[in-house]
Amino acid sequence: MDHIIAERLTSIDPATGAEAGSVAVTTPAALDRMVETAAAAFRDSGWKDLLPHKRAEVLRAISDRLEAEKESLARLQMRDNGKPLSECRGMVDYAVGTFRYYASACETLQTEVTTPRGPYVSMTVLEPYGVVAAITPWNSPIMNDATKVAPALAAGNAVLLKPSEDAPLLAPELARIALEAGLPEGLLQVVQGRGAAIGAALVAHPGVAMISFTGGTATGRAIGKVAADRVAPVALELGGKSPHIVCADADLDLAVAAVISGIFGSAGQSCVAGSRVFIEASIYDEVLGRVAERARSIRVAAPDADGVEMGPLASFHHRERVEAFVARARSEGGRVLAGGARPEGAAYEAGAYYLPTVIDGLAPDSLTCQEEAFGPVLVALPFSDEAELIALANGTAFGLACGIWTGDFRKGWRLGRALEAGSVWVNTYKQSVTSTPFGGFKSSGIGREKGLDGLRLYAQVKSLYFGLQTTPFPVSK
Ligand code: NDP
């Protein structure tokens, strides 16, 4: 892309088109040196051999420093990817909480004394992998970076963090803060540049022992193939086309508000965006009318404007992708009930703005209903009964999340169990907390981040036996 010139990568503020900052691109030779440095730090710094409560002290110090720098980090992320300032502040809070959570998890995680079946004591211990590659997308850099870096360090690894070329400014700040907080040098380094070039080189590097990736499904599939060839463990957090279901017995005020925030929060640039709303046929026109009306009233503005509800998209080229997605929806027969265009007016001219968009009238198997827009585009579909709903809602390649609004908790339970999704929200939406596992079914991913699963992800189980026998083994047992 044209924002990489020679060896510098420039981040463009999507609200203004101005430069937000720049970073040095990592060359292949520099990557080799970084892997060597990380391997040496893993081997020699003493980090992996520190008692867990001592590692936890450093993780807590990182969280304290992140908290102290909250405002400047939030503003940097706002310029880097255009999210409203309030959301960026929330994401720094999330990163603070994530380092605190994994500090506590690190010093309290129990392993097992297993049941013996002979004269020995048997147990498990957790060992770090070594050098972990952590690759993150542009939509929520500080949050996604923390979700990988905190548990990977807690487990004793060294981390090479590769942020997206479209939001490269937060990762170096996290690495600086970690160093200042007492993390030994070399344990957290940042690889910068184009994913298809230096990202691919990182994944293929023989010195990288484990790969943790968050991003699109196509990229995840490509990374998974490289990891398979190397027999390297890989965690993939991928895309979604999450169903958001409104049953006729739901509290419709709460449901409509959640449908709106579920898709238009973060301008739809969220892996768990509720991008397909399924509305029970008997209330379809009423609820869809309310959703479209509210979408038209969303305040689209600069990320730091008073009362902003939706900022610009994260980059100008991403807006072009969203525009192409909506153009195709029209060609597939979609009726655009709200948005479907850039907002007009001088305030929007310099930025990558796009209106909250609501579309209906599409076949469930249309590409618009099957593929991720990763933008502020909601498609609406009616359903008549539970069997039809389950078939339609499960009828994509994805399985990341779903929301169900109903006044009948038994129905919530039935649907929640039947829907193919890693996270199910009944009478709530888009809760994704650091203490609860998160990941996808089907093409939405492999592995679980967050919670204790998110710590175990970065460790391998070793079984240890201590023999108690006092007589020599026979040759054959
Ligand atoms: P991409 O898959 O394009 O990129 C994600 C990261 O991978 C970026 O850092 C990118 O670098 C890098 N990358 C690209 N190609 C390669 C490669 N061949 N080898 C190694 N690294 C590579 O996704 P986007 O950045 O466009 O993010 C949007 C996607 O992320 C959506 O599909 C969304 O659903 C998903 N996502 C999933 C989440 C989850 O937890 N499940 C959370 C957030 C987003 P570069 O940008 O420089 O090309």
Side-chain angles (χ1 to χ4, degrees):
M1 258 160 244
D2 55 4
H3 60 159
I4 299 186
I5 297 168
E7 65 284 356
R8 298 277 321 159
L9 192 172
T10 303
S11 168
I12 303 297
D13 180 343
T16 62
E19 180 176 331
S22 72
V23 294
V25 170
T26 305
T27 62
L31 177 66
D32 285 341
R33 288 194 296 275
M34 289 165 87
V35 174
E36 268 172 40
T37 302
F42 174 72
R43 196 180 55 235
D44 303 330
S45 70
W47 178 250
K48 68 176 161 50
D49 303 316
L50 271 185
L51 290 169
H53 70 285
K54 290 290 177 191
R55 281 207 296 272
E57 281 174 15
V58 177
L59 297 176
R60 279 198 195 91
I62 296 174
S63 68
D64 291 346
R65 279 170 187 259
L66 284 169
E67 193 166 41
E69 295 193 31
K70 171 175 167 177
E71 191 59 22
S72 62
L73 290 169
R75 286 184 179 275
L76 185 65
Q77 178 169 298
M78 179 186 78
R79 292 195 300 278
D80 208 15
N81 78 349
K83 278 204 172 171
L85 185 55
S86 58
E87 284 188 39
C88 293
R89 288 183 180 129
M91 285 181 188
V92 180
D93 285 341
Y94 190 97
V96 169
T98 296
F99 275 91
R100 286 207 180 124
Y101 173 81
Y102 282 110
S104 303
C106 171
E107 66 179 359
T108 57
L109 190 71
Q110 306 280 344
T111 50
E112 287 178 293
V113 175
T114 57
T115 310
R117 293 173 77 93
Y120 47 76
V121 175
S122 50
M123 64 182 65
T124 58
V125 293
L126 294 175
E127 302 281 12
Y129 284 105
V131 180
V132 168
I135 302 172
T136 54
W138 42 260
N139 62 328
S140 311
I142 191 73
M143 189 172 99
N144 284 322
D145 294 351
T147 297
K148 295 190 187 307
V149 170
L153 290 177
N157 298 284
V159 181
L160 293 181
L161 173 61
K162 153 74 180 88
S164 167
E165 68 193 86
D166 287 326
L169 301 183
L170 273 295
E173 294 301 298
L174 179 58
R176 170 186 60 78
I177 285 171
L179 197 60
E180 289 171 4
L183 186 74
E185 208 159 336
L187 279 177
L188 176 59
Q189 301 172 75
V190 180
V191 175
Q192 296 278 19
R194 203 166 277 155
I198 202 71
L202 174 65
V203 169
H205 202 291
V208 168
M210 188 262 174
I211 301 143
S212 177
F213 169 78
T214 296
T217 295
T219 315
R221 196 171 280 129
I223 288 175
K225 284 181 184 158
V226 176
D229 278 346
R230 297 183 43 219
V231 199
V234 63
L236 302 173
E237 296 290 347
L238 308 177
K241 190 77 179 175
S242 298
H244 203 159
I245 295 158
V246 184
C247 299
D249 59 8
D251 179 324
L252 296 185
D253 290 342
L254 292 182
V256 167
V259 167
I260 290 288
S261 88
I263 180 66
F264 299 122
S266 302
Q269 301 163 121
S270 160
C271 53
V272 294
S275 50
R276 290 182 299 153
V277 61
F278 289 92
I279 306 169
E280 195 155 352
S282 59
I283 55 164
Y284 184 79
D285 290 341
E286 178 202 344
V287 170
L288 183 57
R290 288 176 64 178
V291 167
E293 190 186 335
R294 180 70 185 94
R296 286 190 291 268
S297 75
I298 285 176
R299 179 160 152 68
V300 179
D304 56 354
D306 281 344
V308 58
E309 292 180 304
M310 202 177 100
L313 298 184
S315 64
F316 291 87
H317 57 264
H318 186 53
R319 179 172 65 178
E320 284 171 20
R321 285 201 290 257
V322 171
E323 286 176 327
F325 189 91
V326 173
R328 191 181 60 187
R330 284 192 165 100
S331 73
E332 288 189 305
R335 250 190 337 152
V336 177
L337 305 172
R342 300 178 184 187
E344 288 177 4
Y348 302 115
E349 270 162 22
Y353 293 94
Y354 197 77
L355 286 170
T357 298
V358 180
I359 305 175
D360 92 331
L362 286 156
D365 62 354
S366 62
L367 293 173
T368 309
C369 291
Q370 292 291 317
E371 293 183 359
E372 186 180 38
F374 213 60
V377 182
L378 176 69
V379 291
L381 294 152
F383 71 91
S384 302
D385 57 43
E386 278 184 41
E388 182 195 23
L389 170 64
I390 291 165
L392 290 175
N394 286 342
T396 74
F398 297 108
L400 193 58
C402 77
I404 302 161
W405 290 86
T406 174
D408 177 352
F409 77 90
R410 293 179 187 84
K411 191 192 291 180
W413 172 258
R414 273 196 311 275
L415 290 173
R417 295 305 302 268
L419 291 167
E420 295 163 349
S423 294
V424 175
W425 296 300
V426 182
N427 292 333
T428 184
Y429 199 77
K430 227 181 187 182
Q431 309 291 350
S432 180
V433 295
T434 202
S435 53
T436 305
F438 177 80
F441 280 26
K442 303 195 292 188
S443 295
S444 288
I446 298 172
R448 292 292 176 271
E449 293 193 299
K450 307 186 183 182
L452 296 181
D453 287 338
L455 180 50
R456 294 191 191 100
L457 187 65
Y458 295 100
Q460 41 200 339
V461 175
K462 180 181 280 177
S463 300
L464 276 173
Y465 294 73
F466 287 88
L468 302 176
Q469 77 278 359
T470 51
T471 53
F473 280 134
V475 172
S476 171
K477 283 192 274 178

